[in-house]
Structures are given as C-alpha cells and as structure tokens.
Amino acid sequence: QPHLVESGGGLVQPGGSLRLSCTASEFPLNFYAVRWFRQAPGKEREGVSCISKTGISLNYADSVKGRFTISRDNAKNMVYLQMNSLKPEDTANYFCAAYPGVCEGLFEYRGQGTQVTVSS
C-alpha cells in the first residue's frame, strides 16, 4: 500500500529548530502537491503548510508564518518542513499528505506522522 513516511520529530526547547522530512514509498512524490498537517491531543487537525508540485506555490497557516518554511527536492522524492523559533503550542503530531492536484479537497496518501514536542 503506497504511503508517506515522515521523520525528524523530537523534543526541542522553546526557540529551537527542527526539520521534518516526508518521502513517498512506491510512487514519485513530484506528481503531487503536499501539505503538512499537525494535530495535538484534544485539538482539531490544522493544515500547517502546502507546497505545489513544482515548489513554486507555497502557503502557510497564520500560526506558523515567518517561522516555518516548506520546500521540496523532487530529485530526492522529499518534502521538508523547516521549523524555527518553536513554541510550546507547536507541540503536535505532524504528518504529510499528498494531493494529486492542489492542496484542496481529499488527499490521496498520508503518513502516520512524527511527534514534535516543544518543552523546557
């Protein structure tokens, strides 16, 4: 079953940085737009950032603008989320999802996620 695989999560102090990675098993990710989501216990899932197939179009949730940067390397079949100036409220499970067109509607594939914990 094709799916996405995330890595790079962990425990970091407030103000610290992490880089999350997302790759695809069994299919080329460059045919898909990719969105990073996050979900914390007891909270609704939040769309964090989206990148188009070519990497030209990017968007971010207001809560992460100026702190997070999404990018992709289609040659390596990877999408990244660079997270700087992390805050305790960024603590969540982060997962990536692939859309065949743009980051709207239903995604076709997703990963299980990687846990990010921001705490002193």
Side-chain angles (χ1 to χ4, degrees):
Q1 183 87 4
H3 59 281
L4 302 179
V5 179
E6 304 90 346
S7 61
L11 173 64
V12 63
Q13 292 187 340
S17 298
L18 285 173
R19 188 177 81 155
L20 305 184
S21 299
C22 169
T23 190
S25 69
E26 302 179 41
F27 65 94
L29 201 53
N30 61 296
F31 291 145
Y32 295 84
V34 175
R35 181 185 295 280
W36 283 98
F37 290 92
R38 65 185 181 186
Q39 187 159 23
K43 294 187 177 181
E44 289 193 2
R45 186 174 70 190
E46 178 186 16
V48 173
S49 183
C50 173
I51 188 166
S52 63
K53 297 176 188 179
T54 61
I56 293 175
S57 178
L58 313 174
N59 64 56
Y60 299 92
D62 288 343
S63 57
V64 306
K65 275 181 184 174
R67 300 188 298 123
F68 290 12
T69 303
I70 192 170
S71 62
R72 68 190 304 159
D73 185 337
N74 285 337
K76 295 182 178 180
N77 215 34
M78 299 288 290
V79 172
Y80 305 100
L81 186 68
Q82 178 67 43
M83 305 187 297
N84 299 328
S85 303
L86 283 162
K87 306 175 181 179
E89 51 263 44
D90 294 318
T91 295
N93 181 267
Y94 286 71
F95 69 91
C96 54
Y99 297 76
V102 297
C103 290
E104 294 177 1
L106 299 177
F107 49 76
E108 188 166 341
Y109 302 107
R110 61 161 290 174
Q112 291 297 310
T114 184
Q115 179 67 32
V116 172
T117 302
V118 185
S119 175
S120 55

